[in-house]
Amino acid sequence: MTTDRATGSGEPGRPRSDLGRRTALRREQLGLTREEVAARAAASPGYIQYVEEHAAEPSIGFLLCLAGALNTTVAELTGGTTDLPTGLGKAGAHPEVLTLGPAACRELLSTHGIGRVAVTLNDTPAVFPVNYTVIDDVIAYRTQAGSGPAAAAGHEAALEVDHIDEAFSQGWSVLAVGPAEIVTGFYETRKFEEHAYSPPWVGGGRYQWIAIRPTHLSGRRIRVPGAPAPPTGEAEHSTNA
């Protein structure tokens, strides 16, 4: 059996649909192969590949099976929640709150994503979303000189990152606090440029790197009994907080 994790673009000139992109992304988030998803959805690996790489129009019955296999909802896979804020689902039954230790927080932060940086502008608190990258325990993001996110430089800054699993009403949140500074060194700037996962979603003109060196990491995870549970270890424990 193969373990194909590819999410290729399919035949030349035939772009993937939104359903295909969302299916491939969700599969990768869960660390599943196409064969594993196919077994869960009672489908063939070839059809899973077709859905990911072509403008497929599967039946609602298959979509329900696919959503179940990917631990999500049909609305999430088809983009029905695109313009809605997260967290509209109902609370899960008997949720458990886990406190995340520094090691677990670092693991959740360690790749890349979108976080929210809190700053003070004209004596008024403000929060801005930023594309961030983590290298050697340093959190960095690109912004425009003089912009709101750039105001974090020279101060203690807080950056919050979270993940919400709408299908099971669970998720996690991590808060990193530490001094922020403008990255001016040539080699450090080049290191961030080379390892950045993505340019800022808001577009060009943002070349100033701001680095946050966390001195405090804290986080919590909400877990619902019966829902798929992520691997846990000594870095997280139950709490009534």
Side-chain angles (χ1 to χ4, degrees):
M1 184 176 74
T2 63
T3 56
D4 178 18
R5 297 181 185 271
T7 57
S9 58
E11 298 175 6
R14 299 193 65 178
R16 289 184 295 170
S17 64
D18 286 345
L19 170 63
R21 286 190 289 269
R22 290 189 177 93
T23 299
L25 176 61
R26 181 60 176 166
R27 177 172 64 79
E28 290 183 338
Q29 288 173 339
L30 296 175
L32 298 174
T33 65
R34 285 172 176 157
E35 286 77 9
E36 290 167 334
V37 173
R40 290 184 175 193
S44 70
Y47 189 61
I48 299 299
Q49 180 178 0
Y50 181 82
V51 169
E52 290 187 0
E53 297 183 353
H54 298 77
E57 296 182 1
S59 67
I60 184 61
F62 173 77
L63 286 175
L64 288 169
C65 292
L66 181 61
L70 294 172
N71 296 337
T72 187
T73 64
V74 172
E76 288 286 343
L77 285 180
T78 58
T81 60
T82 299
D83 291 326
L84 299 178
T86 57
L88 292 179
K90 295 183 179 179
H94 310 294
E96 180 183 16
V97 180
L98 305 175
T99 296
L100 302 177
C105 290
R106 289 190 185 94
E107 182 178 356
L108 292 171
L109 284 170
S110 63
T111 53
H112 52 259
I114 294 180
R116 283 156 292 279
V117 60
V119 301
T120 300
L121 292 176
N122 301 320
D123 297 323
T124 301
V127 177
F128 299 93
V130 294
N131 294 87
Y132 76 91
T133 296
V134 179
I135 301 177
D136 299 332
D137 290 332
V138 177
I139 303 170
Y141 59 89
R142 272 177 291 196
T143 189
Q144 191 173 27
S147 67
H155 304 281
E156 286 283 307
L159 184 133
E160 188 269 346
V161 180
D162 57 47
H163 172 72
I164 304 297
D165 187 337
E166 293 279 1
F168 293 99
S169 301
Q170 59 184 6
W172 56 263
S173 174
V174 169
L175 179 67
V177 179
E181 61 184 19
I182 298 173
V183 178
T184 57
F186 172 78
Y187 291 106
E188 190 172 21
T189 299
R190 187 173 68 176
K191 179 174 63 175
F192 287 129
E193 293 285 351
E194 291 176 347
H195 289 83
Y197 175 76
S198 169
W201 282 17
V202 292
R206 288 160 173 79
Y207 306 111
Q208 185 177 85
W209 281 97
I210 305 294
I212 300 175
R213 305 179 189 278
T215 56
H216 177 74
L217 288 171
S218 61
R220 296 198 303 171
R221 184 192 295 278
I222 299 174
R223 191 167 63 192
V224 176
T232 59
E234 296 180 356
E236 56 183 50
H237 56 274
S238 299
T239 179
N240 293 322

